[in-house]
Amino acid sequence: MASRALLPYLWYPLFVGGGIAAFGAMLAAGFGTATAAYLPVIAVGLVIVLLEWKFPERLDWRATRFDVAADALFMALVQIALPQLLVLLTLLFFAGWMHTHAPSAGWPHGWPLAAQVIAMVLAVDFVRYWLHRACHRYDVLWRLHEVHHSPDILYVLNVGRFHPLEKMLHFSLDTVPFLLLGVAPEVLASYFLLYSLNGLFQHSNVRLRYGWLNYVVGSAETHRWHHARDPRTANCNFSNTTIFWDLVFRTWHLPGPVGDIGIMDRAYPKDFWSQMMTPFGSRGGRRPTLKARIADALIALRLRLTRLIEAPGIARAVRDPMRLQRALLDRIVRENRDTTFGRRHGFDAIRSYEDFAKHVPVSEFEALRPYIEAEIDHGERALTTAAPARYVRTSGTTGKPKDIPLIASHLKALQRVHRISVAFQHRTCPAAFRGSILVIVSPAFEGKLANRRPYGSASGIVAGNTPPAVLEKFVIPAAVLTIADSRVKYLLILRLALARPDVTYLGSANSTTLLALIKLYRENAAGLIEDLRRGTFFLMDEVPPEVQPAIRSRLAPNAPRAERLAALQAGQGARLADLFPALKLVVTWTCASAGITVDALRRELSPRTRILELGYLSSEFRGTITLGRRAGSGLPTFDTHFFEFVERERWDRGEPEYLTLDRLRKGGDYYIIVTTPSGLYRYFINDLVRVTGFLHATPLLKFLQKGKGVTNITGEKLYETQVLAAVRDVMMQAGIETRFLMMLADEEVRCYRLYVESGAGAKPPAANLAQAVDRKLQELNIEYRAKRESGRLESPVAVWLASGSGDAYKKFCVDQGQREGQFKAVALAYRRSFAFDLEAHRERG
C-alpha cells in the first residue's frame, strides 16, 4: 500500500532520468542527434500510455476514439510531418553549419553540454513565457492558442494539439535565434529531449505527484491548472520546461486538484480540420465573406478616424465646458426667437443664461404638448423655426403617448454623438467589432402623424445611418425589428442569430431583453435547432409578408452548427456564452434598476466577455457618452444639449436652486433639466443623476433612477398617475372602495407588487385584481405593454391589505420625521427603497 502511494512521486524522475541517460548513451555510441533524441521520446511516450491505463489521474479523462483520431492527426501532421521530423533533420544539418561558420560571440560554446542545455532551457522558457502570456491576452494570438486549450480532457496524445501557425511562431522564437547564434546540434537536441519528455508528462492522465519538483519544472500538477476552464483561473503557470519564470513573475499557482478543464465555449469544434479553420473565421469553420472582411476594415477605419477627428476637440472642451454650453444656449434662443414659444417667453430679450432662466419656466411634457400638437395639426412654428424632420414616440404620464419633435440638425448631432460613443467602445474592445454584430433596438419607423412626419424610437432613428457595407456584419435586418408580435420577433432574432456563432458584439438598452432571449431559447430549443438544420423558421407563417424577403437568404441550413447546439441541449443546456462563443462585448444599461438584471446577465456570459454601460439616454435626449473610465459614468453631451441641475434635497423640499455644469460637486445627486435644439426648453425629465468625478473641469454623470412618481424596471417607465388611474377604474367597476394602495417595483424578479386596502364588501381574488390592473396598465402605457408582451416584465402580483394598513403607513412616515400636515402618500415606489413592511399587513383568512 505504501509503495503504491509512493509511485506517483517516482514516475516522472524515473522515466525522465531514464530518457536522459538513454540519450547520453546513444550519443556516446555514435548515434545521430536526431535518433538519440527521438527514440527516448517515443519510448517514454509508450510507457506513459500504459501508465495512463493503469494509474489514471481521472477516469473522466479517458480518451475516446474521436479524441485519439483527432490528436493523432495533430501529432502526425503538426508535430512531426508538418514540420517537425523533416524540418528537424534539415535544421540540425543547418545548425552544424552555423556552429562551424557563425561567430562565437553571443553564446557560451565553451561551457559543458549540461550548462549550455540549462542556459537554453532558461532562455527559451523566458521567451516562450511571454509569448504564452500574450496568447492569453491578445485575441489574434488566443484564436490560435485556443486550439491547444480546446480539449476537455488531458492525456498524453493531446500534447501535440497546436495550430501549425502557432508552432511556426514557437519555432521562430525558440529555435531560430539559437541557430543564428550557432548553438551546437547536441544542445538543440538535448533541449528538444527535455522539452518533449516534460511535455508528455505535463499533459498526461497519469497520477503524478511532484513534491518539491513543482518549484523546478513545469509539472503536470501546475500545468493542469493552466488548462482550467475558467480563464481567470487558467491565467497562471505559463512556463514550459522549467517553472522558474512563473516563480519570478508571480504567476505560479497550485492550490490543489483542478476542476473542469478546457475552454468556456462548449460548442467549439474538436475535430482536426475544423480547428485548422476556426481561428480565421466564424466558429464552426465558416470563413468570413469578402464583404465581411471589407466591413471589418471599414468599421475599424471609420471608428479610428472618428476618434482622431473628435478627440482633440473633446480634450479642449472638457477644460471649459461652459464655453460651449453658453454658445449652444445662445444659438438655440437666437434661432427660435420667432416661434410661438419664443415670442411668448421673450427670447428677444434673452442675452445670458440668467435671462433664460428668468423668462422660461421649468416644465414637463404636458406643458409643451399644446405647442407640439400645433406643429403636428397646423404646421405652426410653435417650438422651433426648423420644422421637425420626425418624432420620437414614447409613453406619457397619461395614456396618450408623447411625440418628441426632432429637427434635422439635432438628429445629425445625435448621430455624431452615437458615432463618438461607438468609437470609444471600439477603443475599449476592438475585438468586439471583428465578428458579427447583434444589436436589438426598437424600430426607427412605426407610423406617420397628421403632418405626414414619421415617428419611431430614438435608438432606431439615431442608429439608422449605418453605412451599407457595414450592414453585412449585422445579424438582424431592420425589417425584423418592426414585427409587432414580440414573441415572433424575438424567436426570429434568435433563429437568425443562432446561424452566426461568430457574434462578437451584442447591444440592447435593457439586459432584460437578452435574458428574455435565452429564456425563449430554452423553451424553444428543439424547434430552433431543427430549423437551423433544415434552413426553415417554424413561425414563418406569422412573419409579416413585407419582412419575409429580408430574411429568406439568411435562413440557410447549417447542420454542423445544429449538431453542436443539440449536443449542448442534451447536456447541461445552453447559456448565452454557448450560443455566442465568440462574444467579446455586451453594451447595455448597467445603472440603477438595470444593475440587478445585469448580475443575472453576467452569469449567462463567459468571464472573457466585457459588459459596457450604454450611457444615459432617453427618448428626449442623449445625456452622456461612455468613455470606459468609470463603470456607468459618462461625459455629458454638453455641445449638443444645455444642462441644468437641482440638488435632490432642494427639489424635494420645493426650494430649487438651478445649477449649471460648472457648479456641480462630486458625489452630489441631482435632478436634471435639459434644453434641446428640437424645442424642449428647460425640460424636467424627472431623472436623478450622480456626479461620480470630473474629467478636467467637466463632471462625469451616472444615472441613478427616475424621480418620485415614476418607476422603471425594464424600460416601461410606469407613472404614478397611470397606476392610480388603472386601480381606480378596476375598483370602480368592481364596486369596491379604495382606502389605500401602493405599487412596488420589484427589480429582482422584474414584476410589480400591488397592495390595496379596500372598504367593506366582497372582494375578488387577488389574482383577478392583478390581471385586471395589468390589462388596464397595458392600455395606458404602450411601453409597459411591449415589455409585458415580450416577457421582459413578469405579470404583476396583487395583495389585499388588512383594514387600517394605510393609517399604519402614515404613522410610520410621521414617526420617521414627515410633517403630518404636509403628509402626501405616494402610490408608486421601488421595493428595495420602501422601508415599510406591507407584507406584515397582508389580509389574513
Side-chain angles (χ1 to χ4, degrees):
M1 200 73 173
S3 62
R4 190 174 181 87
L6 184 63
L7 287 176
Y9 292 91
L10 297 179
W11 300 132
Y12 178 83
L14 178 65
F15 289 106
V16 171
I20 295 171
F23 172 72
M26 282 191 284
L27 284 181
F31 284 82
T33 52
T35 303
Y38 263 99
L39 288 180
V41 170
I42 293 170
V44 171
L46 293 173
V47 169
I48 291 175
V49 171
L50 295 175
L51 291 176
E52 287 182 326
W53 175 70
K54 187 67 176 175
F55 303 101
E57 172 69 17
R58 284 168 52 168
L59 292 175
D60 60 335
W61 283 358
R62 288 270 171 89
T64 66
R65 229 180 307 181
F66 177 85
D67 295 320
V68 172
D71 287 315
L73 269 175
F74 273 101
M75 185 65 74
L77 299 181
V78 177
Q79 294 290 83
I80 301 174
L82 296 173
Q84 287 291 7
L85 182 59
L86 296 177
V87 174
L88 178 64
L89 295 174
T90 305
L91 290 177
L92 288 177
F93 172 81
F94 181 59
W97 183 90
M98 287 295 297
H99 182 60
T100 303
H101 296 86
S104 58
W107 183 258
H109 297 287
W111 288 9
L113 176 62
Q116 290 190 58
V117 172
I118 292 172
M120 184 168 177
V121 167
L122 289 172
V124 171
D125 268 20
F126 178 79
V127 177
R128 287 284 298 274
Y129 173 87
W130 288 109
L131 172 62
H132 201 167
R133 288 190 68 169
C135 285
H136 282 258
R137 180 174 181 181
Y138 299 106
D139 182 69
V140 65
L141 294 176
W142 170 250
R143 289 177 73 85
L144 293 174
H145 189 58
E146 193 175 20
V147 170
H148 182 66
H149 280 262
S150 62
D152 299 322
I153 64 172
L154 284 175
Y155 76 111
V156 64
L157 201 56
N158 65 15
V159 67
R161 190 179 283 249
F162 281 97
H163 196 280
L165 288 183
E166 186 179 6
K167 289 304 296 180
M168 290 173 64
L169 187 58
H170 292 172
F171 169 71
S172 68
L173 295 177
D174 64 20
T175 304
V176 170
F178 300 93
L179 293 176
L180 296 177
L181 289 171
V183 176
E186 302 84 50
V187 178
L188 291 173
S190 299
Y191 169 76
F192 167 77
L193 175 78
L194 291 176
Y195 169 74
S196 300
L197 292 177
N198 191 72
L200 291 171
F201 274 104
Q202 205 175 47
H203 289 81
S204 70
N205 184 24
V206 179
R207 181 170 173 77
L208 296 168
R209 297 298 178 265
Y210 285 70
W212 61 270
L213 284 174
N214 279 310
Y215 297 92
V216 179
V217 300
S219 68
E221 290 186 273
T222 55
H223 197 69
R224 286 163 185 165
W225 278 98
H226 179 71
H227 278 265
R229 185 180 296 278
D230 187 336
R232 294 169 298 186
T233 303
N235 201 35
C236 65
N237 304 334
F238 294 99
S239 296
N240 289 295
T241 307
T242 176
I243 204 71
F244 177 76
W245 298 114
D246 282 290
L247 292 169
V248 170
F249 297 111
R250 299 183 179 182
T251 50
W252 187 92
H253 182 69
L254 182 59
V258 72
D260 291 340
I261 66 165
I263 56 177
M264 298 299 292
D265 176 12
R266 289 181 288 170
Y268 193 93
K270 298 295 194 293
D271 64 284
F272 176 84
W273 297 111
S274 291
Q275 291 199 346
M276 289 298 97
M277 301 305 301
T278 299
F280 308 112
S282 305
R283 294 295 187 249
R286 186 177 68 85
R287 297 173 71 94
T289 65
L290 179 60
K291 284 186 178 180
R293 290 181 183 276
I294 294 172
D296 283 346
L298 283 175
I299 286 177
L301 178 62
R302 189 181 193 204
L303 295 178
R304 287 192 174 97
L305 282 175
T306 298
R307 291 203 305 273
L308 184 67
I309 293 169
E310 299 288 352
I314 293 174
R316 290 192 300 271
V318 295
R319 289 172 166 79
D320 184 12
M322 287 310 299
R323 180 180 62 83
L324 283 179
Q325 284 277 276
R326 286 189 291 268
L328 174 66
L329 180 62
D330 180 69
R331 185 173 73 248
I332 290 173
V333 170
R334 186 176 64 254
E335 289 178 352
N336 298 299
R337 63 180 56 176
D338 292 330
T339 62
T340 306
F341 188 95
R343 290 191 296 271
R344 288 179 182 175
H345 293 88
F347 276 20
D348 278 342
I350 295 175
R351 299 291 181 269
S352 65
Y353 162 68
E354 289 72 21
D355 293 341
F356 181 68
K358 186 186 302 181
H359 284 77
V360 180
V362 173
S363 60
E364 298 183 33
F365 183 83
E366 293 307 317
L368 297 175
R369 188 187 289 276
Y371 295 96
I372 295 172
E373 290 181 343
E375 288 176 339
I376 295 171
D377 296 336
H378 310 297
E380 181 180 327
R381 297 294 181 260
L383 288 172
T384 54
T385 300
R390 58 193 310 145
Y391 293 80
V392 176
R393 173 163 285 193
T394 185
S395 61
T397 55
T398 64
K400 193 173 183 180
K402 296 189 293 188
D403 290 313
I404 312 294
L406 191 60
I407 65 173
S409 61
H410 188 199
L411 173 59
K412 186 176 180 180
L414 288 173
Q415 288 172 338
R416 170 181 165 269
V417 168
H418 177 68
R419 285 196 304 274
I420 295 172
S421 179
V422 176
F424 278 108
Q425 293 172 17
H426 181 266
R427 187 186 69 172
T428 301
C429 186
F433 295 83
R434 294 175 189 149
S436 294
I437 296 172
L438 176 54
V439 176
I440 304 173
V441 296
S442 297
F445 177 80
E446 295 175 333
K448 289 188 176 182
L449 299 174
N451 60 357
R452 309 303 298 166
R453 299 293 186 183
Y455 66 85
S457 75
S459 56
I461 292 169
V462 172
N465 66 330
T466 304
V470 177
L471 289 177
E472 164 71 15
K473 293 173 66 66
F474 279 69
V475 175
I476 308 301
V480 172
L481 301 172
T482 65
I483 298 175
D485 188 319
S486 59
R487 182 173 180 272
V488 174
K489 177 170 68 177
Y490 286 114
L491 281 169
L492 180 54
I493 288 173
L494 264 176
R495 168 62 183 89
L496 296 174
L498 290 177
R500 303 278 286 269
D502 64 326
V503 169
T504 51
Y505 181 107
L506 184 53
S508 176
N510 264 294
S511 55
T512 52
T513 301
L514 308 181
L515 294 174
L517 276 182
I518 193 63
K519 180 183 176 184
L520 269 177
Y521 176 79
R522 288 166 182 155
E523 294 170 351
N524 299 273
L528 289 167
I529 291 171
E530 185 60 24
D531 278 338
L532 189 58
R533 182 181 289 109
R534 298 169 54 193
T536 56
F537 177 51
F538 71 100
L539 293 177
M540 195 66 167
D541 290 343
E542 299 181 45
V543 176
E546 64 272 17
V547 176
Q548 293 186 16
I551 65 171
R552 289 194 187 280
S553 62
R554 298 173 184 247
L555 295 178
N558 189 338
R561 171 74 170 147
E563 292 303 323
R564 284 191 289 275
L565 289 174
L568 288 173
Q569 202 60 25
Q572 301 175 12
R575 302 178 304 148
L576 277 172
D578 301 315
L579 301 187
F580 308 120
L583 188 61
K584 296 294 185 293
L585 182 68
V586 174
V587 180
T588 189
W589 283 327
T590 63
C591 301
S593 59
I596 294 175
T597 50
V598 165
D599 290 337
L601 178 62
R602 287 187 193 278
R603 292 190 286 272
E604 295 286 344
L605 301 173
S606 161
R608 289 180 179 275
T609 302
R610 181 166 183 170
I611 299 178
L612 188 66
E613 166 62 31
L614 176 60
Y616 168 47
L617 68 161
S618 65
S619 299
E620 289 84 355
F621 78 113
R622 175 159 194 157
T624 65
I625 298 172
T626 301
L627 302 179
R629 293 171 176 268
R630 290 183 176 87
S633 300
L635 187 71
T637 53
F638 49 75
D639 59 347
T640 307
H641 306 103
F642 186 82
F643 291 91
E644 296 175 78
F645 303 86
V646 178
E647 288 185 346
R648 180 178 190 168
E649 295 78 8
R650 293 186 67 93
W651 182 271
D652 290 344
R653 289 201 311 265
E655 302 171 357
E657 178 187 5
Y658 299 102
L659 309 173
T660 47
L661 274 172
D662 57 329
R663 297 181 61 193
L664 306 186
R665 58 180 176 82
K666 183 179 179 179
D669 294 346
Y670 301 90
Y671 283 97
I672 193 166
I673 297 158
V674 66
T675 295
T676 76
S678 292
L680 301 184
Y681 302 108
R682 305 199 77 196
Y683 185 84
F684 181 73
I685 197 170
N686 199 30
D687 283 349
L688 277 166
V689 297
R690 175 171 294 166
V691 177
T692 60
F694 286 81
L695 181 59
H696 297 292
T698 303
L700 299 175
L701 306 180
K702 177 180 180 178
F703 174 71
L704 282 184
Q705 66 174 67
K706 298 299 292 184
K708 288 184 177 180
V710 183
T711 54
N712 190 24
I713 300 177
T714 65
E716 71 282 0
K717 289 189 289 188
L718 189 63
Y719 290 83
E720 186 176 70
T721 53
Q722 294 170 339
V723 172
L724 291 170
V727 176
R728 185 184 302 113
D729 286 357
V730 170
M731 295 288 280
M732 285 179 61
Q733 289 176 14
I736 306 171
E737 179 187 0
T738 305
R739 296 284 182 86
F740 170 73
L741 73 90
M742 178 64 66
M743 180 82 95
L744 298 182
D746 191 334
E747 298 154 298
E748 291 187 9
V749 294
R750 305 199 308 278
C751 82
Y752 283 85
R753 297 181 180 274
L754 173 64
Y755 297 87
V756 179
E757 177 189 348
S758 68
K763 297 185 291 289
N768 293 1
L769 172 66
Q771 291 173 6
V773 171
D774 184 35
R775 287 193 296 270
K776 192 65 181 177
L777 287 175
Q778 291 190 47
E779 294 175 9
L780 293 172
N781 186 319
I782 57 175
E783 292 180 356
Y784 177 94
R785 181 174 69 244
K787 303 308 183 290
R788 285 285 294 113
E789 287 177 349
S790 66
R792 285 175 279 178
L793 192 63
E794 300 292 339
S795 302
V797 176
V799 174
W800 291 112
L801 294 175
S803 178
S805 298
D807 292 336
Y809 172 65
K810 179 179 178 181
K811 182 178 183 303
F812 171 82
C813 294
V814 171
D815 291 344
Q816 296 298 308
Q818 287 194 34
R819 294 181 181 272
E820 185 171 3
Q822 299 174 352
F823 175 78
K824 293 180 180 178
V826 296
L828 182 64
Y830 288 94
R831 190 183 187 192
R832 57 177 158 81
S833 59
F834 193 76
F836 185 70
D837 186 6
L838 287 170
E839 289 290 334
H841 294 266
R842 180 189 287 261
E843 188 178 64
R844 307 300 176 186

